[in-house]
Every structure is written in structure tokens, then in C-alpha cells.
């Protein structure tokens, strides 16, 4: 399946929450980095998207995605969450940093792409 086909399906989603819209945005962004003509096989999606990183935390903390807390917060949070965290100045919760939250979103984006490729694969 071509990356452009997966992008088209992702862009047709009707995500209701800020988190879901952010995850879809990450998925589209990762596919665009691969290139619209990239072929995705059901078993190799994760490896292709990781682009050499060991896992999603390494991808996030290694600077392969957004690097600034405020940018990550804007990409994944609802307006009330942005106010609560002062636009990303405060930690998202007691257990995580913003880069950890981004790693979770990237992992979900990967699973979303894998489901599409697996369903059509």
C-alpha cells in the first residue's frame, strides 16, 4: 500500500478530540517524511516509521519529531489543557515530560497506520 493512500484515509477521518487530531497529524507527518510513493508492507510499518530509532521514546527524545514543549502541547492538547499547563510551560502530569507524551502519541499514530495498512494489505 502506498503512503499517499494511507494519508488520504487518515485525512478523511473525523477526529473529535484534540488528542485524536494530534495523533492523526503525527501519522500524516511521518508518512509525508517517507514520501507519498513509499510502499508500506503490513509487517514493516513500524520499522519504516521509526527511521532507525529503537522505539518511540527514542524517536521523540532524539529530536525526530517536535522538540519544544509548547509545540507538543499545541499539537496534542485541548484549549483547557493548554491553559492548565500554561501553553506547555508546566509538565503535562506528574509522571511524564512533554516528550514522553509525544512518544505515546507517536506510538498511537503508528498503530493507526498499521491498522489501515493491515486492513488493506
Amino acid at each position: 500500500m502506498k503512503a499517499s493512500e494511507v494519508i488520504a484515509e487518515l485525512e478523511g477521518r473525523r477526529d473529535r478530540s484534540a488528542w485524536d487530531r494530534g495523533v492523526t497529524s503525527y501519522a500524516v507527518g511521518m508518512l509525508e517524511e517517507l514520501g507519498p510513493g513509499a510502499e508500506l508492507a503490513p509487517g514493516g510499518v513500524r520499522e519504516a516509521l521509526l527511521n532507525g530509532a529503537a522505539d518511540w521514546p527514542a524517536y521523540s527524545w532524539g529530536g525526530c519529531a517536535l522538540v519544544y514543549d509548547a509545540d507538543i502541547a499545541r499539537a496534542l492538547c485541548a484549549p483547557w489543557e493548554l491553559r492548565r499547563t500554561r501553553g506547555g510551560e508546566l509538565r503535562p502530569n506528574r509522571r511524564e515530560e512533554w516528550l514522553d507524551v509525544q512518544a505515546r502519541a507517536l506510538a498511537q499514530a503508528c498503530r493507526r497506520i498499521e491498522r489501515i495498512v493491515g486492513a488493506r494489505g
Side-chain angles (χ1 to χ4, degrees):
M1 177 172 220
K2 292 207 179 295
S4 59
E5 296 172 304
V6 179
I7 290 171
E9 188 160 333
L10 287 167
E11 288 176 341
R13 288 176 54 95
R14 298 236 184 253
D15 294 322
R16 294 182 63 185
S17 71
W19 177 266
D20 279 339
R21 285 189 299 274
V23 169
T24 298
S25 177
Y26 277 121
V28 169
M30 288 189 293
L31 289 169
E32 286 175 344
E33 280 185 33
L34 289 177
E39 279 293 328
L40 299 169
V45 172
R46 185 173 189 269
E47 292 75 25
L49 295 175
L50 279 171
N51 197 22
D55 55 18
W56 294 113
Y59 186 96
S60 181
W61 284 88
C64 295
L66 299 174
V67 294
Y68 295 111
D69 293 348
D71 293 339
I72 297 167
R74 275 194 300 275
L76 296 170
C77 292
W80 67 269
E81 292 169 307
L82 284 173
R83 284 191 299 274
R84 184 180 59 81
T85 61
R86 290 191 214 146
E89 289 179 28
L90 303 176
R91 290 176 64 169
N93 58 57
R94 280 187 251 158
R95 297 171 310 280
E96 295 178 305
E97 298 291 338
W98 284 106
L99 289 167
D100 299 319
V101 172
Q102 176 174 254
R104 277 194 296 117
L106 290 165
Q108 286 183 19
C110 178
R111 285 192 299 275
R112 194 169 283 177
I113 294 167
E114 287 174 327
R115 276 193 298 276
I116 293 169
V117 171
R120 296 247 186 112

